[in-house]
Amino acid sequence: MAPSWRLGAYSLLTALWLLHCCSCGWSERTSGMAKGETKEQELMSHERVKRGWVWNQFFVVEEYTGTEPLYVGKIQDVLDSVKATLCEMCIPPNSGPPTKNIHTDSDEGEGNIKYTISGEGAGTIFIIDELTGDIHATERLDREEQSYYTLRAQARDRLTNHLLESESEFVIKVQDINDSEPKFLEGPYIGSVAELSQMGTSVMKVTAWDADDPTYGSSARVVYSVLDGESFFTVDRQTGLIRTAVADLDRETQDRYELVVMATDMAGQMGGLSGSTTVTIVITDVNDNPPRFPQKMYQFSVSEGAAVGTPVGRVIATDADMGGNTDMSYLIKDEEGGELFKVTTDGDTQEAVITIKKPLDFESKRTHNVVVEAVNKHVDPRFLELGSFRDQTIVRVSVTDADEPPVFLPAEGAIMEVQEDARLGALVGTATAKDPDKENAPVRFSIDRSTDQEQIFHIDPVSGAITLGKILDRETAGWHNITVTAVEADNVSQISHSSVSIRILDVNDNPPELARPYEASICEDIKPGQLIHTISVVDRDEPQSGQRFSFTLAPDATNNRHFTLWDVKDNTVGIRTQRSGFNRHEQNVYLLPILVVDTGPPALSSTGTLTIHVCDCDPEGAIQSCNATAYVISTSLSPGALIALLVCMLILIVLVLLILTLKRHRKGQRMSEDEEDMRDNVIKYNDEGGGEQDTQAYDMSALRNLYDFPENKSGSSESGPDLHALPQWIQGRVSGDGGAADFSLFKGYIRKKVEQADADLSVPPYDSFQTYAFEGTSSPALSLSSIHTLSTTSEQDFSYLSDWGPRFRQLAGYYAPGHPEEEGS
């Protein structure tokens, strides 16, 4: 296969040959058509036309290591001979590659032309001889860095430096040599393959890249091989695909492999370059191992008093697989163990948790053998031939004895029945409980009063007999649910409870009644035998044989000729007319009493009244208007109507009394609010004063400091109390001998009164007015009684009242001896 540059040169020569042949034919035709022309013109027509620059390319080998510049090519005029040959033979060229030369027609070898180049690397990498046109490379070229260089060539007159030809472009290509080794750009590699995969299973693909020219030679042609690990894996020489070499890869034996893969260029021939990488292959797990219990028997113990749901123990089955392949579920295989115990799987630890499903009984059975089986959740059908993916073990549970509370019979609770008319103390039923630990151990019974707050039932604490404590009424409560408590007589901490449901059996003690007050309306022109209304009945009793009622007109309405009853046979009765021609102006309301009797026993009855209105109707039978005047068919009211009337009157009387009481209460409240409590507002002033204009009649500071006299010190007259503010009999005592008055008697009396008031528990919490009725002894004023002083035989002298000052002037005038002239007047 010829190199690519040769094919390009051949294509160029072929194009030039076609153009030249066309130009030759055109010249001959032109000469034949112009035979009459002059010779000069003919010579001019056959003169060779000057050709311009022709494109070409040069080749240079990379990595040149010589000491001299590397010769690249030379610009020569060789195309003229090629053109002449093509014109004469008119055949395409078939010989070797085109000549690597570029030359100008003006070059005659005299050295008048100067050759120059410009472009990539001109003057640095590539230099040209100006005289000969030889091009050399001065540097070591690397195709991997740059594969070709584009330059331009110029031919100039050496003397004038003018361009002799147009500038032409040419290319210098760098030829490749095998100087780059293959490289794994994506390494190191990590792949995976499932264990027990078939031989030849694809694992992964590796790729090496060679920087050499893949279009030239075999420098970039890479092949692959395994250096380490070839006994377990292979690699395709051309594609780099890694496959398994064996079919028994076992993750549980070895879970990863390290391979060394080498890539060699030159198709693996001698002298080729190579590179290597590491490939890690992880063996993934498959479910090829069944679960296995480490032990064939486990032993646990639990108390018989343990509650339902209490864990008994944990067991686990091991699995050599990993991840989801180890997920397993546990189940109990034997029927007996499945009734008493339950097994669940702990999702985190994959353990089997055995818990109590039903209460255990030491007295019934002391040891239980439970068969527990472990099963893989995700079984791979490809490995079923390896064996069963399940395993079993025995869990032995020993039940230990415990003191248990009494057990009721039946355990789910008792149902008892009693007639609603049973007498007080009647037996309802008997609660039964026993101690499961001891035979004939005494048990004491009681009723939880939170379930029987009205104490309707009583229970015998020893026998458990339940009796009536109150009269029953089924219509009030048809069922009673109570809780009975049983306690061991020897150990009161062992207590149990049981619910007892008591059904109250019905007794016919309620008469039937109309479901509601019924009213009906008829037209005046109604026809005989027409159904006007249907009446239903209710009975609060519920006889076991079902309700059955009979309907008749009340005895006082048996002679009624207006309406009749029709039994519908479903505990309802219809009302029909017996005649026509009702007149609402004569009578517009009829009251029809109906007697209802039940089947008993004993049979009870009641009377209900149907109100029938006679109305005016249009021709289509639609009611227009009805009057409100009523005429009673019967001459007397029923007992029910009388009771209702009395109840209404009683309610009115009670309402009136409540209104009067409320008004009276409000009036008393307003009066009490207007009254002023004087206990905290008693103020006593022992001073008459001098009237409304006297603002300085009495000094209150003297009253406040009445008993707080400072000691009289010698030489200080200003420190004594204001004697003018005190009565004269006190002034005399204070000023007579210069010493303080003796108030110890009054102080002791007041102190005693205060202590009595503080110790009195009947005193209200507010301040009260205390009366200190103590006058003392040796009073110079003696008695001031008007009864005594007005007597004519009184010998007491009250002249000293005049000495008490202006405040007692009026009092002194009453008791001073009068003048004879004043008495006479």
Side-chain angles (χ1 to χ4, degrees):
M1 181 176 179
S4 59
W5 64 270
R6 294 183 179 180
L7 294 176
Y10 289 159
S11 299
L12 178 62
L13 291 178
T14 302
L16 293 176
W17 170 75
L18 292 175
L19 292 175
H20 182 70
C21 289
C22 293
S23 63
C24 291
W26 180 81
S27 299
E28 292 177 356
R29 289 194 299 271
T30 303
S31 61
M33 294 175 62
K35 291 181 179 181
E37 294 180 359
T38 61
K39 184 177 180 181
E40 183 179 359
Q41 293 175 344
E42 181 179 0
L43 293 175
M44 291 178 62
S45 61
H46 288 282
E47 186 178 2
R48 185 176 60 164
V49 180
K50 182 185 297 182
R51 62 180 176 84
W53 291 92
V54 179
W55 178 89
N56 203 348
Q57 61 182 353
F58 300 98
F59 295 90
V60 60
V61 178
E62 68 170 336
E63 302 295 344
Y64 173 70
T65 58
T67 58
E68 297 294 332
L70 178 63
Y71 178 74
V72 177
K74 184 183 182 68
I75 300 176
Q76 295 179 351
D77 188 12
V78 296
L79 296 180
D80 288 341
S81 58
V82 174
K83 177 183 176 182
T85 304
L86 293 176
C87 289
E88 293 175 358
M89 300 179 61
C90 291
I91 56 174
N94 54 7
S95 56
T99 306
K100 303 178 184 178
N101 297 314
I102 299 176
H103 193 70
T104 177
D105 295 339
S106 302
D107 188 4
E108 297 179 354
E110 298 178 355
N112 297 325
I113 299 174
K114 181 177 68 174
Y115 297 99
T116 60
I117 58 175
S118 62
E120 295 179 314
T124 56
I125 300 176
F126 304 103
I127 58 175
I128 186 171
D129 191 328
E130 296 181 353
L131 296 177
T132 63
D134 293 334
I135 300 174
H136 291 81
T138 62
E139 296 182 6
R140 182 178 178 180
L141 303 179
D142 187 359
R143 191 201 66 83
E144 285 71 35
E145 293 182 2
Q146 187 168 349
S147 59
Y148 66 91
Y149 297 85
T150 302
L151 297 95
R152 292 176 296 277
Q154 302 93 22
R156 298 179 180 272
D157 187 279
R158 185 175 295 276
L159 297 179
T160 62
N161 200 32
H162 290 162
L163 284 174
L164 300 179
E165 304 290 344
S166 299
E167 188 179 61
S168 181
E169 186 178 85
F170 65 98
V171 175
I172 299 176
K173 287 190 173 182
V174 182
Q175 286 185 327
D176 182 57
I177 63 174
N178 189 20
D179 60 343
S180 298
E181 72 278 2
K183 296 180 180 180
F184 293 91
L185 301 182
E186 298 179 0
Y189 295 86
I190 298 177
S192 63
V193 63
E195 63 175 331
L196 302 181
S197 297
Q198 296 181 355
M199 186 173 59
T201 302
S202 299
V203 179
M204 63 181 303
K205 184 178 181 180
V206 296
T207 302
W209 179 79
D210 196 318
D212 293 325
D213 188 359
T215 64
Y216 179 75
S218 300
S219 299
R221 186 178 176 184
V222 179
V223 294
Y224 303 91
S225 60
V226 177
L227 294 183
D228 188 7
E230 65 276 6
S231 57
F232 300 101
F233 299 93
T234 62
V235 62
D236 189 281
R237 286 177 55 84
Q238 305 298 329
T239 63
L241 180 63
I242 299 175
R243 301 176 184 271
T244 58
V246 294
D248 57 352
L249 295 175
D250 187 7
R251 187 201 65 82
E252 288 74 30
T253 302
Q254 184 174 351
D255 60 353
R256 64 177 54 224
Y257 294 87
E258 300 288 342
L259 305 182
V260 177
V261 178
M262 184 177 64
T264 307
D265 59 11
M266 296 297 293
Q269 297 178 3
M270 186 70 68
L273 303 178
S274 62
S276 62
T277 186
T278 301
V279 179
T280 301
I281 299 178
V282 178
I283 308 301
T284 60
D285 185 63
V286 297
N287 193 7
D288 59 337
N289 293 280
R292 290 290 181 264
F293 283 104
Q295 300 175 215
K296 289 305 178 181
M297 177 176 290
Y298 296 85
Q299 291 187 353
F300 301 101
S301 63
V302 62
S303 174
E304 65 172 338
V308 174
T310 301
V312 176
R314 289 171 173 253
V315 297
I316 187 172
T318 58
D319 194 326
D321 297 319
M322 62 182 299
N325 294 325
T326 62
D327 293 344
M328 62 187 70
S329 58
Y330 299 91
L331 63 153
I332 296 177
K333 294 297 292 182
D334 59 311
E335 184 177 354
E336 179 186 358
E339 292 181 357
L340 298 176
F341 301 94
K342 182 176 67 173
V343 62
T344 57
T345 303
D346 190 325
D348 297 331
T349 62
Q350 291 297 309
E351 291 178 307
V353 182
I354 297 98
T355 57
I356 299 175
K357 186 177 181 181
K358 288 185 179 181
L360 303 177
D361 188 8
F362 173 81
E363 289 73 23
S364 299
K365 191 173 183 179
R366 302 184 179 184
T367 303
H368 301 274
N369 293 323
V370 184
V371 179
V372 178
E373 183 177 72
V375 182
N376 266 144
K377 288 185 178 180
H378 312 291
V379 178
D380 195 333
R382 297 176 300 172
F383 309 108
L384 290 178
E385 67 275 4
L386 298 179
S388 176
F389 282 81
R390 59 182 62 213
D391 193 21
Q392 293 182 353
T393 188
I394 297 176
V395 178
R396 175 169 292 176
V397 181
S398 300
V399 181
T400 59
D401 188 23
D403 190 5
E404 301 174 85
V407 177
F408 280 92
L409 298 175
E412 62 275 4
I415 298 178
M416 303 178 183
E417 295 181 347
V418 63
Q419 294 282 347
E420 66 173 322
D421 60 349
R423 68 184 186 280
L424 291 178
L427 179 64
V428 178
T430 303
T432 304
K434 67 175 183 177
D435 189 346
D437 301 315
K438 300 178 182 179
E439 291 291 339
N440 301 321
V443 177
R444 298 294 179 260
F445 299 92
S446 62
I447 295 178
D448 185 357
R449 288 305 173 187
S450 64
T451 61
D452 184 24
Q453 297 180 357
E454 298 180 2
Q455 297 186 5
I456 301 175
F457 304 96
H458 298 294
I459 189 170
D460 187 277
V462 178
S463 64
I466 301 174
T467 57
L468 283 181
K470 289 185 178 181
I471 298 299
L472 301 175
D473 184 12
R474 190 205 63 82
E475 286 71 33
T476 302
W479 285 84
H480 293 274
N481 297 316
I482 63 175
T483 300
V484 177
T485 302
V487 182
E488 291 184 7
D490 300 333
N491 186 3
V492 295
S493 63
Q494 295 299 323
I495 183 171
S496 58
H497 305 273
S498 178
S499 61
V500 177
S501 300
I502 302 174
R503 179 184 179 185
I504 311 304
L505 300 180
D506 184 51
V507 174
N508 192 27
D509 55 350
N510 293 280
E513 298 175 351
L514 297 184
R516 56 184 176 85
Y518 287 96
E519 293 187 3
S521 300
I522 61 174
C523 297
E524 292 179 308
D525 57 351
I526 191 170
K527 297 178 181 180
Q530 186 172 347
L531 180 65
I532 63 174
H533 209 280
T534 302
I535 294 175
S536 60
V537 182
V538 294
D539 194 333
R540 296 175 63 189
D541 296 319
E542 292 182 358
Q544 297 181 357
S545 59
Q547 298 281 7
R548 185 71 181 92
F549 307 105
S550 60
F551 302 88
T552 58
L553 292 176
D556 52 359
T558 53
N559 297 326
N560 169 52
R561 297 188 303 272
H562 307 291
F563 307 98
T564 184
L565 302 181
W566 172 54
D567 193 354
V568 188
K569 303 300 182 182
D570 59 350
N571 293 334
T572 59
V573 64
I575 312 300
R576 290 182 175 179
T577 57
Q578 282 188 331
R579 68 179 181 87
S580 61
F582 290 89
N583 189 347
R584 66 186 179 92
H585 297 289
E586 296 178 358
Q587 184 175 348
N588 63 345
V589 176
Y590 293 88
L591 300 179
L592 186 63
I594 301 174
L595 179 64
V596 185
V597 183
D598 59 15
T599 56
L604 301 179
S605 65
S606 66
T607 301
T609 302
L610 171 64
T611 303
I612 303 173
H613 299 271
V614 181
C615 303
D616 182 23
C617 302
D618 58 12
E620 287 75 16
I623 296 176
Q624 298 296 321
S625 63
C626 301
N627 292 330
T629 304
Y631 296 89
V632 183
I633 292 179
S634 61
T635 58
S636 62
L637 294 175
S638 64
L642 289 175
I643 293 174
L645 183 60
L646 291 175
V647 170
C648 292
M649 294 178 63
L650 181 60
I651 291 174
L652 290 176
I653 294 173
V654 171
L655 289 177
V656 171
L657 292 177
L658 288 176
I659 292 173
L660 293 176
T661 304
L662 181 61
K663 288 184 176 180
R664 189 171 183 179
H665 175 71
R666 290 182 177 177
K667 183 177 180 181
Q669 184 177 6
R670 287 196 298 271
M671 293 178 63
S672 64
E673 291 176 355
D674 295 337
E675 293 179 358
E676 182 180 6
D677 191 353
M678 302 298 293
R679 289 173 294 182
D680 292 338
N681 299 283
V682 177
I683 303 174
K684 185 175 181 180
Y685 297 93
N686 293 322
D687 182 26
E688 288 184 0
E692 295 179 356
Q693 301 300 325
D694 186 5
T695 59
Q696 302 295 329
Y698 193 79
D699 188 2
M700 295 298 294
S701 62
L703 181 61
R704 297 189 184 96
N705 302 323
L706 183 61
Y707 307 114
D708 297 336
F709 296 108
E711 296 181 357
N712 189 16
K713 298 181 180 180
S714 60
S716 59
S717 60
E718 296 180 358
S719 62
D722 187 4
L723 299 180
H724 297 285
L726 301 176
Q728 291 184 358
W729 67 276
I730 298 180
Q731 296 179 16
R733 293 189 178 185
V734 173
S735 60
D737 54 2
D742 184 12
F743 294 98
S744 60
L745 180 63
F746 295 94
K747 291 181 180 179
Y749 176 78
I750 293 174
R751 188 180 303 108
K752 182 178 180 180
K753 283 290 187 177
V754 170
E755 291 175 356
Q756 290 178 356
D758 294 338
D760 190 359
L761 299 178
S762 62
V763 175
Y766 45 80
D767 294 337
S768 61
F769 179 74
Q770 299 291 337
T771 302
Y772 300 95
F774 182 71
E775 191 177 22
T777 60
S778 302
S779 174
L782 300 178
S783 175
L784 298 180
S785 173
S786 60
I787 298 175
H788 178 72
T789 56
L790 289 179
S791 63
T792 57
T793 60
S794 176
E795 296 179 357
Q796 188 175 0
D797 185 10
F798 294 98
S799 60
Y800 60 86
L801 294 176
S802 302
D803 300 333
W804 284 12
R807 295 187 181 89
F808 299 92
R809 183 177 302 168
Q810 188 174 0
L811 182 62
Y814 290 147
Y815 292 92
H819 300 280
E821 60 275 10
E822 293 179 357
E823 295 177 359
S825 63

